[in-house]
Amino acid sequence: MADRIQLLPDHVANQIAAGEVVQRPASVVKELLENAIDAGASVVKLIVKDGGKTLIQVVDDGSGMSVTDARLSFERHATSKIRSAEDLFDLHTKGFRGEALASIAAIAHVEMHSRLEETELGTHLKIEGSKVISQETAATPVGTSVAVKNLFFNIPARRNFLKSTKIELRHITDEFHRVVLAHPAVEFHFYNNGSELFNLPATGLRKRIVHIFGSRTNEKLVPVTESTHVVGVSGFICKPEFAKKSRGEQFFFVNNRYIRNSYLHHALVSAYEGLIKPDTHPGYFLYLEVNPASIDINIHPTKTEIKFDDERSLYAILRATVKHSLGQFNVAPVLDFEHDKNLDTPYAYRQKGAISPNISVNARFNPFDEGKQQERPVFSRVSSDRGSWEALYSGLDTNDRQENGFSSVHLESDAITGSIFDRQEETDRSGATTFQFKRKYIVTSIKSGLLVIDQNRAHQRVLYEKFLKSITIRNAISQQLLFPLKLSLSRSDVQSLEEIKETLSAVGFVFGKLEDETAEVTGVPLLVTQGEVAAVLDQLIADCQAHNDSQGFSQTDVFSKTLSRSLAVKAGEVLDPASRQALVDDLFACKEPAFSPFNKSVYTTITESDIDKKFT
Ligand code: ADP
Ligand code: MG
């Protein structure tokens, strides 16, 4: 039989390798920025067009390259950074594989200008799909400029797979943040489609953070320092009261390289235990210095994971250090998580003026009439995305039902006690009265027994259907604010807001100018009070970012869920009788009253025979 194995031609091998290094424009940005840093640049410019799909260019004033080096830099495994395997254990550069430029050149149109300080003229190289198109001497400044155009031009499948320009731009911005935070002493400029997104002068870390995330960030930062024989820790953590709904501002750097490490992240979060709400995330910018020989970063070209020799000590040191800083800066105690919601507008009045959902209901239909229960299979709903949603919001549901709470029923107040015993037992819901149990449940009597409704979930369901509808038919009512609200956000949050403002207008949010670090809000949905706007938008942005990349993402659904969760009455809020009744009525006007938008049961019934059994 004839031999069949052949060596792949270089350009094919390069294309395959490129698949590992370059997933999207942001990967190119990371590689080029890191090369500029490795070359000792003091000013670096990043220029992108159309989320990097049309152009990614990095210009530096670093060492530059000789003619030969410029040409060689595009060969696979060509690197000036390591000479032998031992060097891997003493890395002081970002790159070391010599793969990035070869990979990028295999799948894009690349143009490089480079000049050493000691030569008068530099080199101008053009490479397309690994083929050198031209190489000539050229007048060019000291340093290197690499322009990458038409990424994935020869791999249509990958090109088609790219996300919208805005999403790609956000990935690029994320990579940019990771590099510039590791190198505050280097000046950076970032231009997108001709406008300057970031202008970061050379400075110290604190100012760099503030330049990136907005002037309001300064007051949030608490310094951290510790030095032990295992690790040096420095940087900043954010005060607990500024914990955010989104995970955005969490950065670990090890030896100035951005890394992700869930174990260390856990150490950090555990130091905040009891200081922040369970569904919020502390911000941090932490820099660990360890002996390069004690880590293994050689796992995968683009992975940001890292292995440490002695993770457990690191965990303990990090946790203690962060706790110490929180304590020292007197930021540990206090914190009143919930303002007294009972001072807010009662439920029954909150919806005044809102258009009630146009859902047709059979007025004579009684869902609690046992004989007819089959007609309305409310419990049959099993949503296919149940798992993922539950996982996303797990831990948020702090008022989980106590299994046997019913055996120890005691009534909250005399007034309520009175109303219960005063009334005649009713057999249909229209005449039923309600009472509130533990400020958490609404209890009402139905023909077959008692109905216990979780007030928070019930209201979530009501709001969810309302928002779904108003987004779909775009009839939301917005209350115009007399004085537009100016919110200070990070630039990337403003960017995200720009992406979703169209859909948000369908629920009643109206925006004025969105620029740099401020968002102007001129109108809000009827149900949102001015004091809630910032928190609600924060949550919307966070959820939207979390879902942007997932397949089958429906903004309408995400928004409706977020808003219903943010705005629903919570456990602990006292509801007056009118509000309770209104909520029960609204709930049973819903299409799916039995489940919250997050697929949790909204109510349960305790049948007469359940009660009878207690008395046998
Ligand atoms: P690596 O960074 O892993 O060495 P790259 O493919 O990114 O691999 O780069 C190959 C080589 O090209 C580098 O080792 C370096 O010598 C040279 N090089 C790349 N970019 C620059 C730059 N901006 N300035 C100077 N030299 C560079
Ligand atoms: Mg490199």
Side-chain angles (χ1 to χ4, degrees):
M1 211 186 197
D3 297 335
R4 283 195 251 165
I5 295 179
Q6 293 183 8
L7 279 177
L8 287 173
D10 264 2
H11 70 277
V12 179
N14 280 340
Q15 253 191 36
I16 294 171
E20 302 227 325
V21 180
V22 185
Q23 271 111 32
R24 56 185 351 142
S27 335
V28 174
V29 168
K30 171 178 182 278
E31 295 297 339
L32 297 186
L33 288 177
E34 289 188 347
N35 280 348
I37 300 283
D38 284 344
S42 50
V43 181
V44 179
K45 286 186 192 140
L46 166 64
I47 301 156
V48 305
K49 288 211 174 101
D50 306 322
K53 294 182 210 174
T54 316
L55 171 74
I56 300 159
Q57 183 174 14
V58 170
V59 185
D60 69 57
D61 64 350
S63 64
M65 280 174 271
S66 67
V67 184
T68 318
D69 279 354
R71 179 66 193 77
L72 264 182
S73 68
F74 289 99
E75 295 297 324
R76 209 136 56 98
H77 307 304
T79 179
S80 56
K81 299 171 191 174
I82 56 171
R83 303 257 167 236
S84 69
E86 280 85 69
D87 291 349
L88 277 175
F89 301 99
D90 190 25
L91 271 180
H92 296 280
T93 54
K94 304 272 167 182
F96 56 88
R97 293 164 198 281
E99 254 175 1
L101 287 182
S103 297
I104 294 166
I107 48 162
H109 297 160
V110 179
E111 236 178 293
M112 175 189 276
H113 289 85
S114 194
R115 172 157 85 89
L116 297 167
E117 195 171 4
E118 56 267 34
T119 59
E120 213 150 284
L121 287 174
T123 311
H124 177 195
L125 254 173
K126 270 192 191 174
I127 299 187
E128 298 183 355
S130 298
K131 273 210 232 36
V132 179
I133 304 292
S134 73
Q135 175 168 357
E136 45 200 45
T137 39
T140 180
V142 174
T144 305
S145 154
V146 180
V148 177
K149 294 181 189 158
N150 308 320
L151 190 64
F152 298 132
F153 79 97
N154 50 0
I155 317 181
R158 294 294 290 272
R159 188 154 180 97
N160 295 337
F161 208 66
L162 292 175
K163 304 268 177 180
S164 74
T165 297
K166 279 177 177 162
I167 292 178
E168 294 302 342
L169 183 63
R170 198 171 48 241
H171 285 289
I172 290 175
T173 309
D174 286 347
E175 289 295 352
F176 180 75
H177 285 166
R178 292 166 189 173
V179 175
V180 301
L181 280 170
H183 300 279
V186 177
E187 176 180 330
F188 287 93
H189 299 263
F190 178 1
Y191 302 87
N192 173 50
N193 288 350
S195 66
E196 190 170 44
L197 288 186
F198 290 92
N199 172 347
L200 307 172
T203 177
L205 178 59
R206 186 172 194 129
K207 282 210 173 132
R208 173 62 46 99
I209 295 173
V210 170
H211 283 145
I212 300 172
F213 296 104
S215 46
R216 228 177 35 134
T217 315
N218 197 26
E219 56 169 321
K220 303 182 187 175
L221 301 176
V222 178
V224 176
T225 42
E226 178 62 276
S227 124
T228 70
H229 68 282
V230 188
V231 62
V233 185
S234 62
F236 294 91
I237 52 175
C238 291
K239 293 178 188 164
E241 63 264 40
F242 295 105
K244 296 208 348 170
K245 298 273 186 170
S246 59
R247 279 173 184 268
E249 289 143 29
Q250 300 183 327
F251 297 89
F252 268 123
F253 299 89
V254 172
N255 298 353
N256 265 359
R257 185 189 293 274
Y258 171 82
I259 60 132
R260 254 188 260 264
N261 183 305
S262 51
Y263 187 62
L264 294 187
H265 171 78
H266 188 270
L268 194 117
V269 172
S270 77
Y272 278 84
E273 221 164 59
L275 300 176
I276 56 173
K277 281 207 269 184
D279 55 346
T280 60
H281 308 278
Y284 56 83
F285 307 85
L286 286 177
Y287 297 72
L288 312 186
E289 288 293 332
V290 298
N291 178 351
S294 75
I295 50 174
D296 179 7
I297 45 174
N298 190 16
I299 304 173
H300 188 276
T302 59
K303 286 254 167 73
T304 41
E305 278 91 20
I306 189 169
K307 273 199 229 148
F308 295 96
D309 282 354
D310 191 2
E311 262 191 345
R312 297 180 66 158
S313 312
L314 277 183
Y315 186 101
I317 294 169
L318 198 60
R319 183 166 188 268
T321 307
V322 170
K323 276 199 153 194
H324 179 74
S325 287
L326 287 172
Q328 203 176 33
F329 287 84
N330 215 3
V331 288
V334 295
L335 287 193
D336 169 22
F337 290 144
E338 308 286 346
H339 78 286
D340 191 352
K341 282 280 199 163
N342 298 321
L343 300 175
D344 290 352
T345 325
Y347 176 82
Y349 304 100
R350 277 194 202 175
Q351 313 223 53
K352 281 261 162 74
I355 294 177
S356 59
N358 185 18
I359 298 170
S360 52
V361 254
N362 174 358
R364 300 182 57 194
F365 176 74
N366 179 351
F368 307 107
D369 186 342
E370 279 175 314
K372 291 185 184 166
Q373 211 143 25
Q374 301 307 337
E375 287 177 19
R376 193 175 159 127
V378 284
F379 289 98
S380 66
R381 180 179 178 219
V382 180
S383 160
S384 55
D385 62 355
R386 181 179 185 144
S388 52
W389 272 108
E390 297 235 305
L392 271 170
Y393 292 99
S394 67
L396 290 169
D397 192 51
T398 46
N399 58 329
D400 266 345
R401 189 162 282 117
Q402 301 143 6
E403 285 299 345
N404 50 9
F406 299 112
S407 50
S408 62
V409 170
H410 71 268
L411 299 172
E412 282 290 291
S413 71
D414 287 351
I416 292 169
T417 320
S419 75
I420 270 219
F421 291 107
D422 278 348
R423 73 179 175 81
Q424 295 283 304
E425 188 182 318
E426 296 290 348
T427 52
D428 95 36
R429 216 169 43 82
S430 61
T433 39
T434 58
F435 82 95
Q436 201 181 12
F437 174 61
K438 295 276 188 197
R439 296 186 178 179
K440 210 182 331 183
Y441 301 109
I442 298 171
V443 183
T444 183
S445 121
I446 52 172
K447 193 173 175 184
S448 57
L450 286 177
L451 182 70
V452 183
I453 301 168
D454 182 313
Q455 66 188 40
N456 173 248
R457 293 178 187 178
H459 198 199
Q460 282 184 0
R461 165 52 61 183
V462 170
L463 293 178
Y464 174 68
E465 293 199 2
K466 194 172 142 61
F467 283 119
L468 264 191
K469 194 171 170 231
S470 66
I471 296 178
T472 315
I473 63 175
R474 306 194 151 260
N475 77 334
I477 306 174
S478 170
Q479 32 177 346
Q480 195 73 21
L481 298 176
L482 205 51
F483 302 103
L485 207 61
K486 282 215 158 78
L487 302 176
S488 328
L489 302 169
S490 70
R491 276 165 196 262
S492 55
D493 282 354
V494 173
Q495 249 178 43
S496 304
L497 211 51
E498 184 76 52
E499 286 164 34
I500 56 178
K501 74 172 186 195
E502 187 70 24
T503 316
L504 283 180
S505 71
V507 285
F509 281 105
V510 187
F511 295 97
K513 274 196 218 124
L514 294 179
E515 56 184 13
D516 294 349
E517 292 163 12
T518 41
E520 196 179 64
V521 186
T522 57
V524 297
L526 268 190
L527 289 168
V528 180
T529 64
Q530 205 154 325
E532 288 169 329
V533 175
V536 170
L537 285 177
D538 183 29
Q539 183 71 62
L540 280 167
I541 292 168
D543 287 351
C544 197
Q545 285 170 352
H547 288 87
N548 243 334
D549 280 343
S550 60
Q551 299 293 319
F553 149 79
S554 147
Q555 264 192 350
T556 310
D557 195 54
V558 173
F559 285 176
S560 305
K561 280 181 168 133
T562 303
L563 287 167
S564 69
R565 191 166 41 125
S566 301
L567 300 173
V569 295
K570 304 284 182 311
E573 289 185 53
V574 175
L575 298 179
D576 65 19
S579 300
R580 300 197 294 261
Q581 193 58 54
L583 179 53
V584 176
D585 291 343
D586 287 351
L587 175 66
F588 290 102
C590 282
K591 286 189 183 148
E592 306 219 40
F595 291 99
S596 81
F598 306 97
N599 269 309
K600 306 253 187 188
S601 304
V602 170
Y603 54 79
T604 184
T605 49
I606 306 168
T607 62
E608 189 183 349
S609 63
D610 289 340
I611 299 170
D612 287 346
K613 272 186 215 137
K614 302 248 172 227
F615 293 96
T616 51

